[in-house]
Every structure is written in C-alpha cells, then in structure tokens.
Amino acid sequence: MGEINFLLGMIGMQAVYLFCYFVLFRKQEFLYFLIFTVGVTLFVFVVKDPLINPFGQLIANKNRQPIGFGILFLCLGLYYRFTRFFIEAPVLHHFYNTVIKVTEFVAYAAGIALLLKVFLTAEIGFMETVAKLIFFLNLPIQVFLLVYLFWTRELFNYMLFFGSLFMSAFFKVGLIPIILSTNNNVDFRKELSFILFGLVVNFLFFNFMLIYKFRRSEKQKLQLDLQKAEALQ
C-alpha cells in the first residue's frame, strides 16, 4: 500500500507541473497529458481493493473493473491525442496523424460505450468481450506508434518513443492480469503499482523532452535573430 501512495504522490506533483505548464504556455498537449494522468489515477482508485479504498466502496464490486476500463479507454484516446500534438503530427507527420486520430476516436467510443452500458443497465454483458477485444487489437497500433516514432530518427521523437515504450510495457504487465481475472475481490495492488510506475517513468522522459524542446526553440530563436541582424547590416 505504501508504494502505491508514494507513486501517487509523485504523480500528483507532476500533475501540478503539467497544470502550470498549461497555464504558462497555453499548449493544448499539456492539458491532454494532464487529463490522461488524472484519468489513470482515477482508474487506480476505482480498481483498488474496496476494503482499503473508501472511493471504491461507492461502486459495486462487479462494476469496478468495467468502470475502471471505461475510464482507461478514454485515457488511451487522450494519450494518443497528446502524442499527435506534441510532435506536431498534423503538420509534420500526416500519415501518423491520420492513423492515430482514427485509433483515438475508437478508444473514446469504446470508453463511452462501456461506461454508458454499466451506468444505464448496471450490467456489463457483451461489452466485456468487446472491450477485451479492442484492448488486444490496440496492441498493433501501439507497436505502429513506437515504430513510427523510432523511424523518424529525430532525437525529440526518440525520447517520446522510449517514454511510451516503458510506460506501455509496465501498463501491460499490470493490466493483463486484471483483464484476465474473473474474481472481482482480488487485491491488485502489485499490478496497480506497475501501472503507476510506468506513468512515473514516462514523466521522466516527458521532462527531458520539455527541456530539449525549449532549448531547441531558444536556439532557433537566437539563429533567427542573428539572421535578422546580418540582414540589417
């Protein structure tokens, strides 16, 4: 339990930084990453053992995982959206932007459908099979995302590649046992720790990307100023 609280504390601090970045720079990708972070944290609170989680006691045991995965599908769409705008894919990477944009909307649709099914009918029914199918079909898309980022051979995209790779690996280690479990009363603290640790690792690469991006922007600005000065002379 202590390790989960420690990781949640680190994630909370990073969420504050993301909010500050968004307020200062008004970059929409910071907002997407912030909402993604909050969503993953909410997933952890929903799925955690209700005996040690007061929030989870408000949700019936049979509905905790479906609601959690509905939230997680929405988070997945937001992370795809974050990557598109963070590497300026609508302008620089049109094919990547098209593929990930379609996948993004599929993730939104799956998350909304799953949540509506649970809240309106109180039963998961066939949506459980559909959700699991979408989750596993999403694996090739994640591979495409990583391969494309690596194929661009840009240092900035390499950092996003490694951050996404490590986060995806830790997420899979934590999520697959939860998905395959048929017992709603299992304590998933170990699996949830993997998920949170993956998010923390991704934050480290994200901070490196910000430093690199700002330094590159300053360098480009300096070169532009020098060119203007030379033109005036």
Side-chain angles (χ1 to χ4, degrees), residues 145-193:
L145 182 153
L146 295 172
V147 170
Y148 188 92
L149 290 174
F150 192 81
W151 175 76
T152 58
R153 298 182 180 180
E154 297 178 14
L155 179 60
F156 182 72
N157 292 349
Y158 281 162
M159 288 185 280
L160 181 59
F161 163 81
F162 283 111
S164 299
L165 175 64
F166 282 108
M167 184 180 71
S168 179
F170 281 108
F171 271 37
K172 295 297 180 294
V173 172
L175 288 173
I176 290 178
I178 298 175
I179 292 174
L180 298 179
S181 174
T182 57
N183 187 350
N184 293 318
N185 296 311
V186 176
D187 185 353
F188 291 114
R189 277 180 285 185
K190 181 179 179 181
E191 288 77 8
L192 296 175
S193 295

Side-chain angles (χ1 to χ4, degrees), residues 96-143:
Y96 173 90
N97 184 67
T98 301
V99 174
I100 298 302
K101 189 175 182 179
V102 172
T103 309
E104 175 189 325
F105 283 108
V106 171
Y108 292 148
I112 293 172
L114 196 56
L115 292 174
L116 288 177
K117 179 67 175 173
V118 175
F119 285 118
L120 295 180
T121 67
E123 293 291 339
I124 183 64
F126 70 94
M127 279 301 299
E128 179 179 4
T129 302
V130 174
K132 289 181 179 180
L133 181 63
I134 293 175
F135 177 84
F136 286 108
L137 287 177
N138 180 61
L139 296 179
I141 299 297
Q142 293 182 332
V143 172

Side-chain angles (χ1 to χ4, degrees), residues 3-5 11 14 19 45 49 58 67 70 79 94 98 106 119 126 134 136 167 177 184 198 232:
E3 61 201 29
I4 289 183
N5 290 335
I11 291 169
Q14 187 64 44
F19 178 75
F45 277 111
D49 186 349
L58 302 175
I67 291 174
Y79 189 76
H94 298 290
T98 301
V106 171
F119 285 118
F126 70 94
I134 293 175
F136 286 108
M167 184 180 71
N184 293 318
L232 290 174

Side-chain angles (χ1 to χ4, degrees), residues 29-30 33 36 78-90 92-93 96 100 142-169 198-199 201-213 216:
E29 54 264 36
F30 295 142
F33 200 11
F36 164 76
L78 283 167
Y79 189 76
Y80 282 142
R81 191 170 184 83
F82 156 74
T83 63
R84 287 199 301 115
F85 284 91
F86 199 64
I87 66 171
E88 300 178 10
L92 302 177
H93 308 280
Y96 173 90
I100 298 302
Q142 293 182 332
V143 172
F144 165 77
L145 182 153
L146 295 172
V147 170
Y148 188 92
L149 290 174
F150 192 81
W151 175 76
T152 58
R153 298 182 180 180
E154 297 178 14
L155 179 60
F156 182 72
N157 292 349
Y158 281 162
M159 288 185 280
L160 181 59
F161 163 81
F162 283 111
S164 299
L165 175 64
F166 282 108
M167 184 180 71
S168 179
L199 187 56
V201 171
N202 197 23
F203 276 139
L204 295 177
F205 283 97
F206 175 74
N207 289 325
F208 290 142
M209 287 187 290
L210 284 183
I211 294 171
Y212 175 78
K213 191 173 186 178
R216 186 177 65 177

Side-chain angles (χ1 to χ4, degrees), residues 27-70:
K27 295 286 188 179
Q28 55 185 331
E29 54 264 36
F30 295 142
L31 180 61
Y32 300 144
F33 200 11
L34 173 60
I35 301 174
F36 164 76
T37 301
V38 173
V40 172
T41 305
L42 185 58
F43 166 81
V44 170
F45 277 111
V46 169
V47 176
K48 260 198 321 185
D49 186 349
L51 296 177
I52 57 173
N53 177 21
F55 181 79
Q57 295 177 12
L58 302 175
I59 305 172
N61 264 4
K62 66 176 182 178
N63 292 334
R64 283 194 296 125
Q65 290 189 31
I67 291 174
F69 278 97

